Amino acid sequence: MTMETQNNFKLGLALSGGGFRSALFHVGVLSRLAELDLLRKIDVISSVSGGSIIAAYYYLKVKSLLEKRSAADQTAPTRETYIRMMKEIETDFLSVVQKNMLMRIFLDPGKNARMMGPDYSNTERFAELLTTYFFRPVLQQQGEMLKKDQIVLKDISIKPGVDHDYSETKIPFLIINATSLNTGHLWQFTSTSMGEQRTEIKTGQDSTSFLKKIQINDERLTIEQRKILYNITLGQAVAASSCVPGIFEPLEIRNLYKSARNPLTVRLVDGGLVDNQGLASLFAEGCTHIICSDASDILKQEHHPSTQFLNVALRANDILMARVRSKSLNELFQFEPTRYALFDMGDHETRNLIFPDDSEKIVSSLTRIRTNLDSFSDIEADTLMYYGYQLCRNVLQDKGFELISDPIPSTRNWRFFEIRDLFLTNEARRKDLIFHLEVGSRQMFKVFLLKKAKPYLILLPFPVLMILLTLYLVIRLSPMVFWILVICCVLVLIYTQNIRILELMDNIEVFKKIKQRILKILISLKLPEPFSYIIALLSWIQLKVFDRLFLRYGRVRDNETKSAFRLGRK
């Protein structure tokens, strides 16, 4: 390594999108980077979507580590310090993931009722949950960081004590990436600024103007702008970065900009629409060395593509996202080979080294695991962490990345190694692992696909009761009254669950009048509140019954495997 690379480098870490699947994969990558003593050298962390969740979580852990060292302890954090921190993260982060953020969004009846209105979205609710379950516990010893139970974005800068020497440890700078629906450009959240970032050099005139980046401490800001910027939270930034269109509503920032003297409403969605790898921000920061952990969706070959309208649209979106990914990676490949490292879930060169048996099936199953924000079982999570760790290990071992001072550090006993010891070395259990991972690709009803009888036995009384209730109503009521009730229930369901679809119909006068009449009826009957309780009840049943069953069936550390693990270590 030259003196130039030792003293004049700027190392960037990109954590891609991909829901909790990507976040868990990144945990494995970070664990290996800790062993290689590269975590202490990171200058900039750029994250997207699911990568933003683990990036913010990791950043707060580093903040707590660097700011809270006692005055008596003058020793700088070492490689071992970061390894211990990652051992905490691999356990604590998974325990929060398994609380199922997707279902918890609908667990509060009062919040459900608010989400039916125009001033409170499921994205805002998700931001609150991120703060409550992920971010606040990390900083619970730093009461000054919390403002009305929130973590304000402008206050997250890491400020180590002046008595500590951190010359060998970099203070990372966090960039959370989203996409502006207003212009289609990349939007950045940082502790010092927010706004749009140019991602490429263009010739000629751009078809859309940029919403310029605003420095939070700019003295020229109006009182209203300061109030807006000072109240944006870390949870909101991460929620905006993870805001998948069609599932979450855009995060709104009102009155921060003006257009033709009129206030402008900025609407932000998933950063993956512009750059799902998080590389663009690292290029803009002038990083000389880049590490990219990419757990995003891989475009897969379709032998018989569907001709159905929705499937064709989804396939077209996948193709477009693959093109965006290729463009970002092609720019990364312009770096010298020793100055970048890419960990790609679709890597074909390393899979046989990581999974000597059934590598194609295991890796294919991992790349197809859902990218949403529900609970991940031990099997799913540990396999993703193990894959990220081993992929990082194999790639960097052969890559010759020039910032590694110790090419082959000793391997630590990470908890997720139990996947290798308990499943990968046994053919029968390896088949169980593959089956569980294949079920993990399903978005819903996963517990019913695990070939277990208990979920069906629990569910059986519900259809029986529904059939009996229907028969009772048919007998007691006339057919006309019965069908009127059914239609009314369907209309209520349509209004409360598909309000965004109905908003698109506002331009059609007939549908607009029907919607307004339904709204008046619901308000007069006060139906949104009862319906909110129904949604909360269903979410509670999913969390307390079926979600727990799914986690139990995917457990790695039950009594049997714990005993086997202990015996194997003796």
Side-chain angles (χ1 to χ4, degrees):
M1 193 188 307
T2 66
M3 288 300 293
E4 178 184 0
T5 58
Q6 285 181 344
N7 301 318
N8 300 316
F9 68 87
K10 188 174 186 179
L11 176 59
L13 172 65
L15 300 178
S16 78
F20 281 153
R21 182 186 76 182
S22 67
L24 293 164
F25 177 85
H26 298 328
V27 170
V29 170
L30 293 171
S31 299
R32 181 56 180 172
L33 294 179
E35 288 183 349
L36 293 168
D37 203 22
L38 286 173
L39 288 187
R40 291 197 302 142
K41 300 176 182 179
I42 292 172
D43 294 276
V44 185
I45 303 173
S46 174
S47 63
V48 185
S49 192
S52 293
I53 299 175
I54 181 59
Y57 188 90
Y58 167 79
Y59 179 86
L60 293 179
K61 292 287 285 189
V62 174
K63 177 180 176 66
S64 180
L65 172 69
L66 298 184
E67 290 185 351
K68 293 181 62 178
R69 297 178 69 80
S70 65
D73 184 4
Q74 296 297 315
T75 60
T78 63
R79 178 206 307 250
E80 294 299 323
T81 309
Y82 276 76
I83 290 175
R84 287 195 298 271
M85 180 182 67
M86 285 309 306
K87 283 185 175 293
E88 294 175 2
I89 289 177
E90 69 162 336
T91 301
D92 297 344
F93 187 78
L94 175 57
S95 67
V96 184
V97 166
Q98 292 183 337
K99 293 184 183 298
N100 198 329
M101 295 299 110
L102 194 61
M103 283 292 101
R104 287 186 182 276
I105 290 175
F106 307 103
L107 197 58
D108 187 323
K111 302 287 187 180
N112 292 342
R114 286 185 62 192
M115 283 189 283
M116 294 177 188
D119 298 324
Y120 184 76
S121 67
N122 55 2
T123 304
E124 292 284 358
R125 175 61 178 150
F126 180 47
E128 294 173 354
L129 293 174
L130 286 171
T131 300
T132 300
Y133 289 98
F134 284 94
F135 305 148
R136 190 192 301 158
V138 178
L139 298 176
Q140 58 185 352
Q141 301 299 323
Q142 297 182 354
E144 70 278 6
M145 281 291 300
L146 301 179
K147 181 179 181 181
K148 297 180 180 179
D149 296 328
Q150 297 293 340
I151 299 173
V152 181
L153 188 62
K154 73 178 184 67
D155 291 339
I156 68 169
S157 297
I158 299 175
K159 301 173 183 177
V162 294
D163 296 331
H164 299 304
D165 178 17
Y166 290 142
S167 57
E168 298 297 322
T169 301
K170 299 291 186 72
I171 309 299
F173 181 67
L174 176 63
I175 303 175
I176 299 171
N177 299 285
T179 299
S180 167
L181 285 181
N182 303 69
T183 64
H185 296 146
L186 182 71
W187 177 282
Q188 292 180 338
F189 287 99
T190 75
S191 60
T192 59
S193 67
M194 60 190 69
E196 293 184 352
Q197 170 66 49
R198 292 184 183 273
T199 56
E200 59 183 341
I201 299 175
K202 293 186 177 182
T203 57
Q205 186 175 4
D206 196 346
S207 59
T208 57
S209 59
F210 274 79
L211 299 176
K212 69 175 183 179
K213 196 176 295 183
I214 299 178
Q215 299 296 320
I216 295 178
N217 61 355
D218 191 337
E219 295 180 354
R220 296 169 296 178
L221 295 176
T222 65
I223 295 177
E224 185 178 19
Q225 286 177 314
R226 291 177 189 275
K227 183 177 179 181
I228 294 169
L229 293 172
Y230 289 2
N231 285 280
I232 291 178
T233 67
L234 177 63
Q236 287 176 317
V238 174
S241 181
S242 309
C243 182
V244 179
I247 297 178
F248 289 98
E249 298 177 43
L251 182 82
E252 293 188 353
I253 303 178
R254 300 176 182 175
N255 304 324
L256 184 59
Y257 299 90
K258 288 187 177 181
S259 177
R261 299 184 179 180
N262 293 318
L264 184 72
T265 299
V266 178
R267 289 189 170 94
L268 304 173
V269 294
D270 195 320
L273 297 183
V274 176
D275 173 26
N276 201 36
Q277 282 61 53
L279 289 168
S281 291
L282 299 184
F283 299 147
E285 288 292 315
C287 291
T288 61
H289 298 70
I290 290 178
I291 295 174
C292 177
S293 179
D294 184 10
S296 58
D297 278 337
I298 307 298
L299 184 66
K300 303 169 183 66
Q301 181 176 344
E302 294 281 354
H303 295 290
H304 302 284
S306 173
T307 59
Q308 294 182 1
F309 176 80
L310 180 59
N311 290 336
V312 171
L314 292 173
R315 181 64 176 174
N317 179 72
D318 291 341
I319 294 171
L320 289 173
M321 291 301 295
R323 296 289 293 176
V324 172
R325 178 177 184 269
S326 296
K327 186 178 182 304
S328 296
L329 294 182
N330 285 339
E331 193 167 349
L332 177 66
F333 297 152
Q334 301 303 311
F335 282 60
E336 294 179 18
T338 57
R339 293 193 173 214
Y340 77 87
L342 172 65
F343 315 126
D344 178 2
M345 280 191 75
D347 191 303
H348 286 270
E349 297 180 3
T350 60
R351 58 180 58 181
N352 290 332
L353 298 174
I354 299 173
F355 304 107
D357 301 295
D358 296 316
S359 62
E360 290 294 328
K361 290 182 179 179
I362 295 175
V363 174
S364 176
S365 298
L366 287 173
T367 59
R368 293 177 184 274
I369 284 182
R370 66 202 178 280
T371 58
N372 62 21
L373 302 169
D374 66 352
S375 294
F376 275 62
S377 67
D378 288 353
I379 289 177
E380 294 173 314
D382 287 2
T383 309
L384 284 165
M385 292 184 201
Y386 178 79
Y387 186 33
Y389 174 91
Q390 294 291 11
L391 185 58
C392 178
R393 180 181 181 184
N394 282 277
V395 169
L396 288 180
Q397 185 169 313
D398 300 331
K399 185 75 178 178
F401 192 69
E402 62 184 8
L403 297 184
I404 300 176
S405 56
D406 182 3
I408 311 177
S410 58
T411 299
R412 305 308 167 99
N413 183 24
W414 299 94
R415 180 188 53 79
F416 50 75
F417 277 4
E418 295 177 32
I419 284 292
R420 177 193 62 192
D421 299 325
L422 299 174
F423 290 90
L424 299 180
T425 57
N426 181 286
E427 183 176 359
R429 301 209 72 185
R430 187 170 63 252
K431 289 181 179 179
D432 292 339
L433 170 74
I434 294 171
F435 174 69
H436 191 90
L437 295 177
E438 288 174 346
V439 170
S441 67
R442 304 300 181 92
Q443 300 293 328
M444 301 175 64
F445 309 118
K446 294 180 292 296
V447 71
F448 295 98
L449 302 175
L450 291 175
K451 299 181 180 179
K452 305 289 186 180
K454 195 169 184 178
Y456 291 96
L457 294 175
I458 293 173
L459 192 63
L460 184 61
F462 293 97
V464 172
L465 288 174
M466 289 299 296
I467 292 172
L468 293 176
L469 178 61
T470 302
L471 292 174
Y472 174 80
L473 291 175
V474 170
I475 294 172
R476 296 297 299 265
L477 302 175
S478 68
M480 180 178 293
V481 173
F482 172 76
W483 286 111
I484 288 175
L485 287 174
V486 171
I487 293 172
C488 288
C489 291
V490 171
L491 289 176
V492 170
L493 184 64
I494 290 174
Y495 176 76
T496 55
Q497 295 300 290
N498 296 290
I499 188 170
R500 285 166 293 184
I501 295 176
L502 291 179
E503 286 175 353
L504 296 176
M505 298 181 181
D506 279 347
N507 294 326
I508 304 174
E509 193 63 29
V510 174
F511 288 112
K512 187 175 181 179
K513 289 181 178 179
I514 293 175
K515 175 187 171 183
Q516 290 173 346
R517 289 178 181 176
I518 293 175
L519 179 60
K520 289 180 180 179
I521 294 172
L522 289 175
I523 292 175
S524 64
L525 297 177
K526 297 184 178 180
L527 286 178
E529 289 79 3
F531 202 81
S532 299
Y533 282 97
I534 294 173
I535 296 173
L537 176 61
L538 294 176
S539 300
W540 184 86
I541 293 173
Q542 170 63 28
L543 279 171
K544 297 299 182 181
V545 181
F546 299 111
D547 206 50
R548 284 188 177 182
L549 278 178
F550 178 71
L551 294 178
R552 181 184 299 175
Y553 295 145
R555 193 177 295 164
V556 170
R557 282 157 294 281
D558 56 18
N559 293 332
E560 177 185 352
T561 55
K562 279 181 180 178
S563 300
F565 181 67
R566 284 194 295 268
L567 289 172
R569 289 298 184 194
K570 290 183 179 180

